Amino acid sequence: EAGVTQFPSHSVIEKGQTVTLRCDPISGHDNLYWYRRVMGKEIKFLLHFVKESKQDESGMPNNRFLAERTGGTYSTLKVQPAELEDSGVYFCASSQVGASYEAFFGQGTRLTVV
Amino acid sequence: AQKITQTQPGMFVQEKEAVTLDCTYDTSDQSYGLFWYKQPSSGEMIFLIYQGSYDEQNATEGRYSLNFQKARKSANLVISASQLGDSAMYFCAMREASGTYKYIFGTGTRLKVLA
């Protein structure tokens, strides 16, 4: 069974540009999460989808970030325009619905804004 | 507010010895889950072990065990018989038992196993 996959693995962009990160969850997982880790700090929650619906986007830093989940399958996270403080590793995770199910994480996308 | 604290930014352990990675948490919820994830240099987050707040027994998974002390709000990870491949970043996390089930993570502990 394929795990959670994220594209690209690395991205280096200039301040002001746009970047789109993609996440393909494990098939059948209705829960999809985005997290971000800024260098040396904790991994922070960004938002949560159940199927195609946003359940919680309280962690989204500002309106430069836009997440979508088309048809309840893959998800994209767009940053437009990117700022220097957006640099970090963006993780996607998916899980089945239920409190005892662990989330499976992708390898992350390392975003560097220069 | 929920919070996870990992006070050890870095740890060393000799191969074949046991090591304990500390984790304390803060929550007002009665029902929650505690998790440990391993992040090797390749970047992926690997699930290690889970402890539910109502579980009376400490969770164990192979060489990993979770020393759960509910009154102290601690959930320390114990790795027995350390191996070189255990060198990685380790994250403690707490998850809500309702709502979004989102994770709250600590800052992580970097473990280095010495040969």
Side-chain angles (χ1 to χ4, degrees), chain A residues 2-104:
Chain A
V4 178
T5 53
Q6 292 186 245
F7 305 95
S9 56
H10 293 85
S11 180
V12 180
I13 61 171
E14 292 184 351
K15 176 182 172 181
Q17 289 186 323
T18 297
V19 63
T20 299
L21 314 180
R22 173 171 170 145
C23 168
D24 287 75
I26 292 172
S27 177
H29 282 191
D30 287 342
N31 284 326
L32 188 149
Y33 304 86
W34 284 97
Y35 291 87
R36 176 174 75 174
R37 184 174 190 229
V38 174
M39 180 69 71
K41 298 194 174 181
E42 69 270 27
I43 301 169
K44 283 199 169 180
F45 168 81
L46 295 179
L47 86 157
H48 168 223
F49 286 98
V50 176
K51 297 184 180 179
E52 67 275 8
S53 300
K54 291 178 187 175
Q55 291 297 296
D56 182 351
E57 50 185 332
S58 61
M60 295 287 263
N62 50 59
N63 59 11
R64 294 185 295 102
F65 289 75
L66 175 65
E68 294 180 328
R69 188 177 184 191
T70 306
T73 56
Y74 71 91
S75 175
T76 58
L77 180 64
K78 181 191 289 188
V79 185
Q80 178 183 30
E83 298 289 345
L84 299 179
E85 64 264 26
D86 300 333
S87 296
V89 180
Y90 290 77
F91 289 101
C92 174
S94 73
S95 74
Q96 297 181 63
V97 175
S100 63
Y101 291 107
E102 73 271 23
F104 293 85

Side-chain angles (χ1 to χ4, degrees), chain B residues 8-27:
Chain B
Q8 306 154 314
M11 291 276 289
F12 290 95
V13 64
Q14 206 66 36
E15 192 178 12
K16 299 180 185 177
E17 291 186 350
V19 63
T20 298
L21 307 185
D22 294 341
C23 173
T24 58
Y25 61 92
D26 190 19
T27 181

Side-chain angles (χ1 to χ4, degrees), chain B residues 3-105:
Chain B
K3 187 177 180 180
I4 292 283
T5 301
Q6 294 180 256
T7 57
Q8 306 154 314
M11 291 276 289
F12 290 95
V13 64
Q14 206 66 36
E15 192 178 12
K16 299 180 185 177
E17 291 186 350
V19 63
T20 298
L21 307 185
D22 294 341
C23 173
T24 58
Y25 61 92
D26 190 19
T27 181
S28 57
D29 292 343
Q30 296 301 309
S31 182
Y32 49 87
L34 296 160
F35 298 76
W36 278 91
Y37 282 83
K38 172 185 178 182
Q39 186 185 39
S41 57
S42 51
E44 73 269 32
M45 296 278 282
I46 302 168
F47 164 74
L48 295 179
I49 197 166
Y50 162 79
Q51 178 87 40
S53 58
Y54 291 116
D55 295 341
E56 295 185 351
Q57 301 266 14
N58 285 343
T60 60
E61 290 285 349
R63 294 185 298 111
Y64 304 107
S65 60
L66 199 153
N67 184 2
F68 180 46
Q69 298 188 40
K70 194 170 183 177
R72 293 186 177 184
K73 293 189 175 178
S74 73
N76 297 340
L77 177 71
V78 181
I79 306 174
S80 62
S82 297
Q83 301 172 356
L84 296 178
D86 294 334
S87 294
M89 195 77 171
Y90 289 81
F91 291 97
C92 178
M94 177 169 57
R95 190 171 70 185
E96 302 171 343
S98 61
T100 68
Y101 305 130
K102 67 186 179 192
Y103 284 73
I104 307 297
F105 283 90

